[in-house]
Amino acid sequence: MTRQRRVILEELAKVHSHPTADELYARVRRRLPRISLGTVYRNLDLLTKAGDVRKLAAGRQRRFDGDTSRHYHVRCTGCGAVADLEVEAPDGVEEAARRASDYEITGHEIVFSGRCPRCRARGGRAKQRSDP
Amino acid sequence: MTRQRRVILEELAKVHSHPTADELYARVRRRLPRISLGTVYRNLDLLTKAGDVRKLAAGRQRRFDGDTSRHYHVRCTGCGAVADLEVEAPDGVEEAARRASDYEITGHEIVFSGRCPRCRARGGRAKQRSDP
DNA sequence: TTGCTTGCAAAGGGTTTGCATAGGA
DNA sequence: TCCTATGCAAACCCTTTGCAAGCAA
């Protein structure tokens, strides 16, 4: 547990914006000015494998979530922002998936799509991103 | 509707493997040897925006699905393969999401994680990918 | 000490884009 | 004809990696 790793984890725990690696890098650098982007990536990967961080696929860049408790996400189809969503896990989804598949199911993630309040206010027919 | 676009759509409809852009490019090239990768990407993006194709975020590379009917996916944590999953939409998930959020919810996707039969057979403690 | 980690910088690899040309409606 | 799409290749950008030096245990 190096100083870098601790600070990365701490900063990630502070924010709820699901930052990208470089957004987190910017924050961490305020406390450790000499840290490199590579170190941020390496630690994020390690922490993800250790289960202390969740890596999210959202658009071109990946985002990271310091909250590993069970919760889902919404992604804005306008600006790409990702927000947490406190919704109960649907009853028996994984069991259903197990029945429907020959995969050994170990988990699931739900990503809702929608428009954030700001994008909604901004215009009715704004351009959508094709990103998943 | 150019010949290229039509062939891309046709080839994508044929396969159920959720190919990456370059996998699809390889297939399409068997019929249109002079097509370029850029054209494949451009059309895939256009088709996605038009709603004729679904773009999936799975690991580093994106995957494409020619089946736009309502269904979910499983992603193998070993090899990254993506398979379809015919599971009923959980009752009232989107309503619950609407209640829990100030986003204007327009849809959702569930991605299960698990191990495909092949990876399961291959070894009990194979290395996992940290990809989302 | 000993092995993992860092900083730096370059490599990597998927995706996007500019431009002149070709082709669909 | 007119406008959009294509092919080609370079540009982009996010992420990963090799290496020598540094640090935690």
Side-chain angles (χ1 to χ4, degrees):
Chain A
M1 177 58 70
T2 60
R3 189 180 324 125
Q4 288 86 337
R5 188 166 315 169
R6 187 164 20 79
V7 173
I8 288 171
L9 208 40
E10 287 172 4
E11 290 300 317
L12 191 52
K14 277 189 202 166
V15 296
H16 292 247
S17 57
H18 311 83
T20 58
D22 53 289
E23 286 167 356
L24 187 58
Y25 172 55
R27 290 188 68 90
V28 169
R29 205 145 56 139
R30 299 211 288 257
R31 292 173 57 187
L32 301 175
R34 296 194 54 75
I35 197 173
S36 74
L37 223 206
T39 296
V40 172
Y41 271 108
R42 268 184 296 234
N43 277 299
L44 248 11
D45 199 56
L46 249 37
L47 291 166
T48 300
K49 282 178 179 147
D52 297 322
V53 164
R54 272 172 77 186
K55 198 183 279 192
L56 309 175
R60 189 206 190 98
Q61 268 176 284
R62 280 171 223 187
R63 291 175 172 276
F64 298 86
D65 192 345
D67 176 2
T68 56
S69 70
R70 219 264 314 117
H71 67 277
Y72 301 128
H73 296 103
V74 215
R75 179 150 193 276
C76 179
T77 53
C79 67
V82 174
D84 290 327
L85 214 41
E86 295 304 335
V87 172
E88 284 297 304
D91 238 41
V93 249
E94 291 198 13
E95 288 66 27
R98 235 160 248 137
R99 253 176 273 124
S101 146
D102 48 2
Y103 276 55
E104 177 182 283
I105 306 290
T106 55
H108 74 278
E109 156 76 333
I110 304 182
V111 179
F112 294 89
S113 33
R115 295 179 77 198
C116 70
R118 201 186 331 190
C119 284
R120 206 159 10 131
R122 199 172 278 168
R125 218 118 297 287
K127 68 159 176 285
Q128 303 266 107
R129 44 180 67 218
S130 71
D131 284 336
Chain B
M1 175 59 71
T2 60
R3 189 179 325 123
Q4 288 86 336
R5 189 167 316 175
R6 186 163 21 77
V7 173
I8 288 171
L9 210 38
E10 286 172 5
E11 291 300 316
L12 191 53
K14 278 191 201 164
V15 297
H16 292 246
S17 58
H18 310 83
T20 58
D22 52 291
E23 287 166 357
L24 187 58
Y25 172 54
R27 290 188 68 90
V28 170
R29 207 149 49 144
R30 298 209 289 258
R31 291 175 58 188
L32 302 174
R34 297 192 54 76
I35 196 174
S36 74
L37 223 206
T39 296
V40 173
Y41 271 108
R42 267 183 297 233
N43 277 299
L44 248 12
D45 199 56
L46 249 36
L47 291 166
T48 301
K49 281 177 181 150
D52 298 321
V53 164
R54 272 172 76 187
K55 198 182 277 191
L56 310 175
R60 188 203 192 99
Q61 267 176 285
R62 280 171 223 186
R63 292 174 171 277
F64 298 86
D65 192 344
D67 177 3
T68 57
S69 69
R70 220 267 312 118
H71 67 276
Y72 300 128
H73 296 103
V74 215
R75 178 149 194 276
C76 179
T77 53
C79 66
V82 174
D84 290 327
L85 214 41
E86 295 303 335
V87 172
E88 284 296 304
D91 237 41
V93 248
E94 291 197 12
E95 288 67 25
R98 235 159 249 138
R99 253 175 276 125
S101 145
D102 46 3
Y103 276 55
E104 177 181 281
I105 307 290
T106 55
H108 74 280
E109 155 77 335
I110 305 183
V111 179
F112 294 89
S113 32
R115 294 178 76 197
C116 70
R118 204 190 323 196
C119 284
R120 213 168 356 141
R122 198 172 275 169
R125 220 119 295 290
K127 67 157 176 286
Q128 304 266 106
R129 46 181 64 218
S130 71
D131 285 336

